Amino acid sequence: MILSVVSSVMVVALAFFQWHLVHILTPFLMPFLWLMAGGFFLVTMIFSIIAVIKRQGWKPVLIQSLTIVFIIFFPFTKVVLNMDFEKKRAERETVVKQVQEGAITSNASYNDSLIHLPKRYEKLSSGGGDILVEKKKQKWMVLFFTFRGILDSFSGFVYSSSGEKPRTGDFGGDFIEIEQLYEHWYFVSSG
C-alpha cells in the first residue's frame, strides 16, 4: 500500500515539475529520470496486481489505476505554463516596456536580437535568462523562453506590440503551436 502511494506521488510530482527539472537535468537526462520513476511505478503495479490475485487487498491497484487515469487526462503542461504566465506576466510586461524604451538592449555580440536579461529578471525566461527581440517597422515582438530546447526546438511566451499573431519564421521558428493567452500575449512552440 505504501509503495503504491509513494510511486503514484512520485510520478504525479514528476509530471507536474518536469519543466522545472528539465532546466536542471537538461533534455538529455530527463528521460532517464522518467525511466526510473516509471520503472518503479510499473514494478509496484505488478506487485499490487499479484497482491489482488492472492486476495491481499485491492487498494494499491485502485490507487495506481487512478494515478494512470490522472496522468493521462490531466493537462499538466498547460496548467504549469498558465501558472507561470500569470505569475510573471507583470514583470515580463515591465521588461517589454524597458526593451521598447531602450533601457534594456542587445548585449550579445554574436546576435543582435538576443538580450541576456539583468540578474533580477533572469527568472522570467528559461534556459539562461535570455530573450529574443524582433522589430519590424514599428511592431515589436519579444520572446520569453519556457523551454530553450536543442537546435531550433523551443517554446515560450511572445509579446506582440501590435497584437498580431506570431507567424512561422518569426524568431527563426517553425511553429507547431500558437495560442493566444491574453491581449498581446501568445504561447508558441517550435519543433
Side-chain angles (χ1 to χ4, degrees):
M1 174 77 165
I2 293 172
L3 287 178
S4 294
V5 172
V6 168
S7 67
S8 294
V9 168
M10 196 166 71
V11 168
V12 169
L14 184 57
F16 191 76
F17 293 110
Q18 74 178 337
W19 295 112
H20 298 289
L21 292 171
V22 78
H23 299 298
I24 298 167
L25 299 176
T26 75
F28 297 111
L29 295 177
M30 194 63 188
F32 294 109
L33 186 58
W34 268 111
L35 190 62
M36 289 187 324
F40 179 60
F41 183 85
L42 183 63
V43 168
T44 306
M45 182 70 155
I46 291 169
F47 281 113
S48 297
I49 292 170
I50 291 170
V52 167
I53 293 170
K54 291 183 176 181
R55 298 186 190 341
Q56 294 177 346
W58 52 269
K59 290 178 185 176
V61 170
L62 178 65
I63 290 169
Q64 291 195 293
S65 298
L66 291 173
T67 301
I68 290 170
V69 170
F70 186 66
I71 291 289
I72 291 171
F73 293 106
F74 188 79
F76 288 99
T77 301
K78 189 168 185 67
V79 169
V80 169
L81 287 172
N82 285 339
M83 286 173 35
D84 180 75
F85 176 72
E86 289 300 328
K87 180 180 172 188
K88 299 175 183 174
R89 187 178 73 202
E91 281 186 286
R92 286 186 177 116
E93 287 176 347
T94 300
V95 168
V96 167
K97 186 176 180 183
Q98 290 181 7
V99 167
Q100 289 175 329
E101 293 172 349
I104 297 177
T105 58
S106 177
N107 50 10
S109 60
Y110 55 90
N111 187 342
D112 290 344
S113 64
L114 183 71
I115 298 174
H116 184 72
L117 293 172
K119 197 84 166 151
R120 65 184 265 204
Y121 294 126
E122 282 182 347
K123 68 184 180 301
L124 301 179
S125 188
S126 299
D130 296 331
I131 60 173
L132 289 175
V133 177
E134 281 195 4
K135 184 179 179 187
K136 296 176 184 173
K137 298 180 184 175
Q138 294 302 315
K139 299 175 186 176
W140 290 76
M141 285 201 294
V142 181
L143 170 67
F144 294 85
F145 292 101
T146 56
F147 175 68
R148 192 82 180 252
I150 304 164
L151 300 175
D152 62 347
S153 174
F154 64 87
S155 63
F157 302 118
V158 173
Y159 176 85
S160 172
S161 65
S162 66
E164 287 181 23
K165 187 178 189 178
R167 296 185 198 123
T168 292
D170 291 340
F171 304 107
D174 182 18
F175 297 133
I176 54 177
E177 181 181 359
I178 302 172
E179 178 186 349
Q180 186 165 10
L181 300 173
Y182 197 74
E183 187 178 357
H184 297 283
W185 284 99
Y186 295 87
F187 173 76
V188 297
S189 179
S190 175

